[in-house]
Amino acid sequence: MSNYDITRGTRKERRLKMAETANRLRKQLESANFDPQNYVKHLSQQSDGDRDLQEHRHKIQTLADETAQNLKKNVYNNYKQFIETAKKISYLESEMYQLSHILTEQKSIMESITQALLSSDKEETAKEMLAAFPKETEEVKQRTLTTLLEKVEGCKNIMETPGRYLVYNGDLFEYDVDHMAQIQKVHAFLMNDCLLIATWLPNRRGAVKYKYNALYDLDSFAIVNVKDNPPMKDMFKILMYPDSRIFQAENSKIKKEWLEILEETKKNKVVKERHKKEEEVPNSPVRTDVSTNPFDEEEPVESEEVVDLSLEWIQELPEDLDVCIAQRDFEGAVDLLDKLNEYLKDQPVSQRVKELRGKVDERVRQLTEVLVFELSPDRSLRGGPKATRRAVSQLIRLGQSTKACELFLKNRAAAVQTAIRQLRIEGATLLYIHKLCNIFFTSLLETAKEFEMDFAGNNGCYSAFVVWSRSAMKMFVDAFSKQVFDSKESLSTAAECVKVAKEHCQQLSEIGLDLTFMLQSLLVKDIKCALQSYKEIIIEATKHRNSEEMWRRMNLMTPEALAKLKDEMRNCGMGTFEQYTGDDCWVNLSYTVVAFTKQMMAFLEEGLKLYFPELHMVLLESVREIILVAVQHVDYSLRCEQDVEKKAFILQNASFLHETVLPVVEKRFEEGVGKPAKQLQDLRKSSRPMRVNPDSTTSVV
């Protein structure tokens, strides 16, 4: 065996040993029970010195680099899968949100059905018990109420109401409505016609344990179940306009008892009052006094019983409205109001009808305030214009179309403003403008379609939408100008951005909304400044080149450069430029005139992209001033030049300006604007080179 084979085998063994060591180190670091501190401690004890630690550090670093490289490869290999997974997760999230909303609604419906069935069963049982032991039950409850109220400070007059007795009582904890922080411990006494809230006394005096806090009539509040959200659970809310209070029971069983007994007691009171009113109707005829005065005229007597308000749904209407408002069932509340208005439409207005109207009007005011809050910009702006449809439609049904229109437009203005603010400013201005136009005009289009759908029968609201469109367009132009004009972008970039905005604005015409004139009127000031600023830049550049003019032919050195210049001049519209090219790579024009031609035509093209009628004179005067600088320089050079050959060359450049450049400028301006420019024609006529006398120092131009 040769030395080469021995060395080769040794290297192979070394590589295998290093690979085995690396695998063992990887398994040790990947272990679930790996402890860094113990590992470092053990390593420092076993190492002989700094060299071993450096080698071990190198191994770990190599392993880390391999791991990072593997991660990168995995990311690159699965990049498309990551994108697809992210999209699917987004779709699943929206679907889960909709499913959760549907399940919540189904749960509330099932709970209401269950409560209705339980309350009906309990009502029948209570009637049977009252029929069996009427006096004994009431007397026992009255004695119990008297005994309990002796422990409450400041409520001696509560027992003065005849027929009042205790139904249910128990300890509760009161929580703050806004911050959900515990406030105090209370004791609630539910009576057959009211609810008493008493607070616990910290320093008890004899038998007195509680202090009077509040007394609510059963008709003045609504009970709402509060969904459990640990640790906040076993709660229910009492709504008394404009306030509300939240109480927590000891457990879910007691909470359920409170909710059921409160609902049952409220219904029993309504039934009792209805029976009482029916019994008060006189059965015997009443003798009317007949006047003997022949001049007395009989006055029509309003019959209080003409309108039948004893119907069960009318008696329970105020309470049903409270429940609908609390449960955010806006459609149900408005349906009840429409039903009542239809029932009372042709009925006489009696005192009882006025009282009912007063109670209902108070609920209408509460419902209106809730709907107004739904449309306020403080609420979530997600969901687009369709999210406001529910509240807007109910406000319109309530006869509040003007308020609905105002709030809808305020909501959409806040949504558009928020979307513009959240748009990230990119490095490329044109990319940012594309995103800005897409967001704004899409939102405007959706808002217009939703407005047309919601306010189809309210023609008076369309003027408000036009005014809102102008304010929204002003908001858009402020963001547009700040990014395009305030940042001093080039005229070509500004022209492209304005073109994009115009194209998006024209898409609104599909729904009959043309805001192009409005966009132009808001942009005219900034575009004027941009044109004048760029005009000054071109004039300064032209003057600087004129000051260094040597009146020499251009030598482009290579055929490629000459071909490129020919293409550029052809794109500028100079079809006869090739007649000014000579042998090899020479051009029989000066560098100053060629550079001026390219810059002039570029300015004209960008200016025509920005053009609209209000900018006609600004663009025309800018073009005229730029041309005048070049013409005056040629005129001055012809008069001052002494060399005959140079003077002929200058005349050739003047001929190119007059016979080629100026006609192309006039034609292109007329094509872009739609009408000829008399000022440019006059300028060309006044600058026509007529003759050059080689022996004279003057020329006629």
Side-chain angles (χ1 to χ4, degrees), residues 20 47 52 57 96 106 156 209 214 226 246 312 389 416 419 512 522 580 588 641:
E20 184 180 354
S47 62
D52 289 345
R57 180 179 178 276
M96 288 300 296
Q106 293 291 335
K156 293 181 179 180
K209 293 183 179 180
V226 177
I246 291 182
E312 184 177 356
R389 184 181 301 171
V416 172
L522 292 171
Y580 293 93
N588 297 324
E641 184 59 54

Side-chain angles (χ1 to χ4, degrees), residues 112-335:
S112 61
I113 293 172
T114 305
Q115 290 179 3
L117 292 173
L118 289 173
S119 61
S120 62
D121 293 341
K122 287 194 173 186
E123 188 174 348
E124 293 177 1
T125 306
K127 287 180 180 178
E128 293 176 359
M129 291 296 294
L130 285 173
F133 311 101
K135 292 183 179 179
E136 181 182 353
T137 305
E138 189 169 338
E139 288 175 1
V140 171
K141 290 180 179 179
Q142 286 179 349
R143 285 199 302 270
T144 306
L145 176 62
T146 304
T147 304
L148 288 173
L149 291 182
E150 288 176 354
K151 300 179 182 181
V152 182
E153 182 183 280
C155 61
K156 293 181 179 180
N157 59 344
I158 289 180
M159 287 304 299
E160 295 177 359
T161 304
R164 178 174 287 173
Y165 58 86
L166 182 68
V167 178
Y168 193 75
N169 74 97
D171 292 334
L172 297 170
F173 291 97
E174 184 175 6
Y175 280 75
D176 183 75
V177 177
D178 297 325
H179 306 291
M180 297 304 291
Q182 185 174 323
I183 300 176
Q184 58 188 346
K185 184 179 180 181
V186 300
H187 196 89
F189 299 87
L190 175 62
M191 289 158 269
N192 58 324
D193 62 344
C194 61
L195 176 66
L196 170 65
I197 304 296
T199 58
W200 280 72
L201 285 174
N203 300 320
R204 299 179 182 178
R205 295 183 293 276
V208 179
K209 293 183 179 180
Y210 315 108
K211 183 179 180 180
Y212 173 85
N213 179 263
L215 183 69
Y216 303 108
D217 189 82
L218 291 183
D219 294 334
S220 65
F221 65 86
I223 308 102
V224 180
N225 181 26
V226 177
K227 185 180 179 181
D228 289 347
N229 186 15
M232 303 301 173
K233 59 181 182 178
D234 304 329
M235 292 182 173
F236 61 91
K237 183 184 290 188
I238 295 180
L239 301 177
M240 310 82 60
Y241 183 81
D243 300 320
S244 62
R245 300 178 73 170
I246 291 182
F247 299 101
Q248 183 185 44
E250 292 182 7
N251 51 53
S252 58
K253 181 181 178 182
I254 296 177
K255 170 191 172 181
K256 186 177 180 181
E257 290 178 358
W258 269 109
L259 292 175
E260 292 175 354
I261 295 173
L262 278 167
E263 288 289 345
E264 181 182 353
T265 307
K266 287 169 70 71
K267 290 183 179 180
N268 289 339
K269 184 186 177 187
V270 173
V271 173
K272 187 176 180 181
E273 289 179 351
R274 184 168 69 245
H275 291 328
K276 186 178 179 181
K277 289 178 181 179
E278 291 175 355
E279 292 173 358
E280 290 176 355
V281 177
N283 296 324
S284 59
V286 180
R287 182 178 178 273
T288 57
D289 294 333
V290 181
S291 175
T292 58
N293 188 349
F295 296 100
D296 287 344
E297 296 181 358
E298 292 185 0
E299 295 181 357
V301 180
E302 286 188 1
S303 176
E304 290 289 336
E305 299 304 324
V306 171
V307 184
D308 184 12
L309 299 180
S310 63
L311 299 175
E312 184 177 356
W313 70 271
I314 294 180
Q315 293 291 330
E316 297 180 357
L317 182 65
E319 183 181 351
D320 291 342
L321 288 174
D322 288 335
V323 173
C324 287
I325 294 171
Q327 294 182 348
R328 301 171 60 81
D329 184 12
F330 307 135
E331 294 82 358
V334 179
D335 289 341

Side-chain angles (χ1 to χ4, degrees), residues 371-430:
L371 291 172
V372 168
F373 178 70
E374 285 293 310
L375 289 173
S376 64
D378 297 333
R379 298 283 288 170
S380 176
L381 299 175
R382 295 181 179 179
K386 294 181 181 179
T388 62
R389 184 181 301 171
R390 186 184 178 205
V392 168
S393 60
Q394 302 313 315
L395 275 176
I396 293 174
R397 289 179 64 188
L398 289 173
Q400 302 280 349
S401 57
T402 303
K403 183 176 289 187
C405 175
E406 178 185 356
L407 293 170
F408 172 77
L409 294 177
K410 281 185 179 179
N411 181 281
R412 297 313 306 151
V416 172
Q417 188 174 13
T418 302
I420 291 176
R421 285 178 178 175
Q422 291 177 349
L423 183 61
R424 205 168 74 184
I425 298 178
E426 303 286 350
T429 301
L430 188 58

Side-chain angles (χ1 to χ4, degrees), residues 476-598:
F476 164 76
V477 170
D478 289 341
F480 182 92
S481 299
K482 184 177 180 181
Q483 189 67 18
V484 176
F485 297 109
D486 294 353
S487 58
K488 304 298 181 183
E489 291 288 342
S490 64
L491 192 65
S492 59
T493 302
E496 286 297 324
C497 292
V498 172
K499 181 182 177 183
V500 170
K502 285 182 179 179
E503 290 174 353
H504 278 82
C505 191
Q506 289 170 359
Q507 293 177 1
L508 298 175
S509 59
E510 68 181 52
I511 59 169
L513 184 65
D514 189 1
L515 300 178
T516 307
F517 173 76
M518 195 178 295
L519 175 66
Q520 293 175 350
S521 63
L522 292 171
L523 285 175
V524 64
K525 182 179 178 182
D526 291 324
I527 296 178
K528 277 184 180 179
C529 293
L531 287 173
Q532 291 173 349
S533 175
Y534 204 69
K535 175 201 71 176
E536 295 297 333
I537 293 174
I538 294 176
I539 289 176
E540 288 299 320
T542 304
K543 288 182 178 179
H544 178 72
R545 288 194 297 267
N546 291 344
S547 65
E548 299 177 352
E549 179 62 77
M550 302 297 292
W551 293 114
R552 296 175 180 173
R553 292 191 304 163
M554 289 180 65
N555 184 4
L556 297 178
M557 308 299 291
T558 62
E560 291 79 9
L562 179 61
K564 182 180 178 182
L565 179 61
K566 288 180 179 179
D567 290 338
E568 291 176 352
M569 298 302 285
R570 195 178 300 110
N571 293 333
C572 291
M574 308 299 159
T576 60
F577 177 74
E578 291 193 8
Q579 71 183 32
Y580 293 93
T581 58
D583 299 333
D584 297 331
C585 301
W586 290 92
V587 177
N588 297 324
L589 294 172
S590 72
Y591 166 77
T592 301
V593 172
V594 173
F596 166 78
T597 302
K598 293 194 291 184

